[in-house]
Amino acid sequence: MITKRFIIYIGVILISIACNGVKPPEKPKDLISKEKMVDILIDAKIISTATSANRKKMEARGVNLDTYVFTKHGIDSLQFTLSNDYYAYHIEDYEAIYAKVEDSLKTLKAALKIQKADEWKEKTKNEEDSLKIEFSDLDPEDLPKLDVAIKKLKKDSIIKSIPEDRKLIIPVSSK
């Protein structure tokens, strides 16, 4: 029992001594502004979450993902590391930067969802428009074409979304 307490006390003392001599990092000459750090971190997060298929596409187009963010923002990895260390030590600044990054990513995600929804609506509208059939001048010769269109409608998922009372019923004559 005494040895466990002794080890714990020694551990606490060693940790206290080790942390006591930590000096804050010096402010870098070319410190990246907080606003630019937000932009850099947003881009870095987006790049880091790219799927492997997207990575391959970007690399095929000549984009070097390891240096893309640094090149885009006109900085180098050392400047970023020194600035990041400086802000990480000054925790209030770092928390403010990351709060802006998080808010920006949430906003971007919401905007992308809206864009995907709009694209889907446009796509389904175009599919729906392509399935519309004009019945105004229906000739007996058009019946085979109409039959093919009806079969296509039955297979299409759009027909499933039409309420039962609004579905088109075409009587078939028995000749």
Side-chain angles (χ1 to χ4, degrees), residues 66-125:
D66 295 332
T67 61
Y68 172 77
V69 175
F70 298 137
T71 305
K72 178 181 176 184
H73 293 281
I75 61 171
D76 58 27
S77 60
L78 179 62
Q79 182 184 6
F80 175 75
T81 302
L82 293 174
S83 296
N84 194 49
D85 289 347
Y86 177 81
Y87 287 125
Y89 186 82
H90 297 90
I91 197 70
E92 295 84 20
D93 293 337
Y94 211 52
E95 287 175 345
I97 289 170
Y98 268 91
K100 287 180 184 178
V101 169
E102 188 176 342
D103 289 345
S104 297
L105 288 172
K106 283 180 182 178
T107 302
L108 181 60
K109 186 176 181 179
L112 287 173
K113 279 185 177 182
I114 291 169
Q115 181 182 353
K116 281 186 175 185
D118 290 345
E119 288 172 359
W120 181 82
K121 285 178 187 175
E122 186 63 31
K123 180 184 174 197
T124 56
K125 182 185 180 306

Side-chain angles (χ1 to χ4, degrees), residues 8 19 56 60 65 72 92 158 174:
I8 292 173
C19 293
K56 289 177 184 176
L65 296 178
K72 178 181 176 184
E92 295 84 20
I158 292 176
S174 56

Side-chain angles (χ1 to χ4, degrees), residues 37-55:
M37 278 297 281
V38 169
D39 294 339
I40 292 167
L41 292 171
I42 289 169
D43 289 341
K45 182 65 176 171
I46 291 170
I47 291 292
S48 71
T49 57
T51 63
S52 61
N54 289 338
R55 287 179 178 273

